[in-house]
Amino acid sequence: MRLVIARCSVDYAGRLTAHLPSAPRLILVKADGSVSIHADDRAYKPLNWMSPPCTLKEGSGEEDGVWTVVNKAGEKLIITMEEILHDSSHELGVDPGLIKDGVEAHLQELLADRIETLGDGYTLIRREYMTAIGPVDILCRDADGGTVAVEIKRRGEIDGVEQLTRYLDLLNRDPHLAPVQGVFAAQEIKPQARVLATDRGIRCQVLDYDALRGIEDDKLRLF
């Protein structure tokens, strides 16, 4: 990851146009090719950004100090540097992913044990199916033999849908698994997350933690 703090102005040219006047800003250039511009007053949300795949060209000569970022749709993010205050690069390596709390870990265990909760005929392939970008909570097959990736959260929000989307994009490149469908499972799913999941063809499944625990307890009874 490259971190640049600079006084700069930013212009976006695409379906719309937008201009950020000159000010000190943080510019993040990530290993996936994405570029985002941040201010110091809005938590994690960038002022402007370009998602991958995109290319970054740093100008020279008469265009020295001008960065041009272009995505596959031809949209441009033009960053005009006036003064660079800091410029450093750091190798972060592969992120291990979010460590789930006890409830999420137990939900995963219970759901894997009772995978038919997702539907009749579902069978488990494995828990924590490892990919190059982290482990998929549960990989299973539906009644028709199709592959299904399940992302489990205690509270289902947009970030969880985005995470599952990245897994699905990667898994669907594997001819031994594709096509892979997605299930976003949580005790509570926020309306915005449900809308995004539905738009991306991902099924939402609300999990009843107490009911799953009750199912587990019933299995331990002899009569």
Side-chain angles (χ1 to χ4, degrees):
M1 178 184 292
R2 184 178 178 186
L3 309 176
V4 178
I5 299 174
R7 178 174 292 278
C8 63
S9 60
V10 183
D11 291 278
Y12 166 78
R15 290 167 293 180
L16 302 171
T17 58
H19 174 71
L20 293 174
S22 175
R25 298 190 174 94
L26 168 65
I27 303 166
L28 299 182
V29 183
K30 294 187 178 181
D32 63 3
S34 64
V35 178
S36 56
I37 296 97
H38 299 259
D40 200 20
D41 65 346
R42 55 186 63 212
Y44 65 90
K45 188 175 182 180
L47 296 165
N48 214 327
W49 67 93
M50 193 69 79
S51 299
C54 57
T55 58
L56 167 61
K57 180 182 177 181
E58 298 184 40
S60 59
E62 293 183 358
E63 294 188 347
D64 185 36
V66 178
W67 291 14
T68 303
V69 187
V70 184
N71 67 11
K72 63 180 180 180
E75 298 169 313
K76 293 183 179 181
L77 196 63
I78 301 171
I79 307 169
T80 303
M81 304 289 189
E82 298 173 14
E83 180 184 8
I84 294 179
L85 306 173
H86 174 85
D87 189 348
S88 64
S89 296
H90 307 270
E91 180 60 53
L92 302 185
V94 177
D95 191 90
L98 182 68
I99 303 300
K100 295 182 177 297
D101 64 23
V103 173
E104 288 184 6
H106 199 203
L107 278 171
Q108 183 193 114
E109 180 183 349
L110 291 171
L111 187 58
D113 193 43
R114 290 292 186 177
I115 198 66
E116 64 273 13
T117 301
L118 298 177
D120 293 337
Y122 272 66
T123 56
L124 178 69
I125 296 176
R126 67 170 297 167
R127 291 171 54 194
E128 299 287 332
Y129 184 87
M130 187 55 66
T131 74
I133 58 174
V136 177
D137 287 336
I138 289 178
L139 199 68
C140 57
R141 295 196 185 280
D142 61 21
D144 298 321
T147 311
V148 180
V150 185
E151 179 63 28
I152 299 170
K153 299 292 184 187
R154 183 167 58 87
R155 181 180 292 107
E157 300 183 355
I158 285 177
D159 286 351
V161 178
E162 295 285 7
Q163 184 180 359
L164 179 54
T165 300
R166 292 192 293 271
Y167 287 142
L168 290 172
D169 179 65
L170 191 64
L171 292 170
N172 272 300
R173 300 178 198 175
D174 186 338
H176 300 293
L177 297 175
V180 183
Q181 300 298 316
V183 173
F184 188 51
Q187 288 179 274
E188 173 193 358
I189 299 177
K190 297 293 186 179
Q192 300 93 330
R194 187 179 293 275
V195 169
L196 181 61
T198 301
D199 181 68
R200 294 183 177 180
I202 294 171
R203 177 163 68 90
C204 291
Q205 176 88 28
V206 175
L207 300 176
D208 187 326
Y209 184 50
D210 291 334
L212 283 173
R213 290 178 64 191
I215 291 172
E216 183 185 55
D217 291 340
D218 287 342
K219 285 184 65 184
L220 298 177
R221 294 175 184 171
L222 297 178
F223 53 90

